[in-house]
Amino acid sequence: MTDINAIDFAKSGGLVPVIVQHARTRQVLMLGYMNEDALRQTVETGQVTFFSRSKNRLWVKGETSGHTLRLVSLRTDCDRDALLVEAEPAGPVCHLGTTGCFDDGEAPGVGFLEALASIIHARREADPKESYVARLLAAGPLKAAQKVGEEGVEVALAAAAQDDHALTEEAADLVFHLMVALEARGVAFSDVVETLRSRHASSLAITER
């Protein structure tokens, strides 16, 4: 968390703009404003709180809808007059019912993988007769592991002897079934990302020695 006392609230009349980003998908969700009291309440309660310019009071996001924002991290920009909040949303953030206020709700780029991981997790409750993922999960980790092995071979064959389109298709199948295998074992996809991040940090540390 950033140092609240170091933020320049005076520069814009007591308010600073706040960009809210999904902590897992990295999707930009909304823009709001905080004064010092809103920021302190956000940090103390863990629920993202803004200063509403129209209501002229503190406003906890989701206080009526229940679509709250759980604080994950908070950083300031280089001029210390704007904030970036990473949060976990409980439902749609936009009043129009979409995930965020800047698009149709679909996470961009690789952020879609985290959205897909959430969909796969939700399929645990689906009817195996109607959901391929539910059938795989119901069959247990060994079945999912078998599919990862099969798709891995298909990727290797495509990489060695097929065109780029075939390789892309097979790679997508492999990533999808890998995510199902992780879900079958109760391992979060974000844990894999953090492992890669940790390895990268370690390699940089070794390089800089």
Side-chain angles (χ1 to χ4, degrees), residues 2-10 16 39 74 76 80-83:
T2 192
D3 180 4
I4 295 177
N5 295 319
I7 297 171
D8 188 358
F9 287 100
V16 294
L39 179 54
L74 187 152
T76 185
R80 311 194 77 79
D81 59 3
L83 296 172

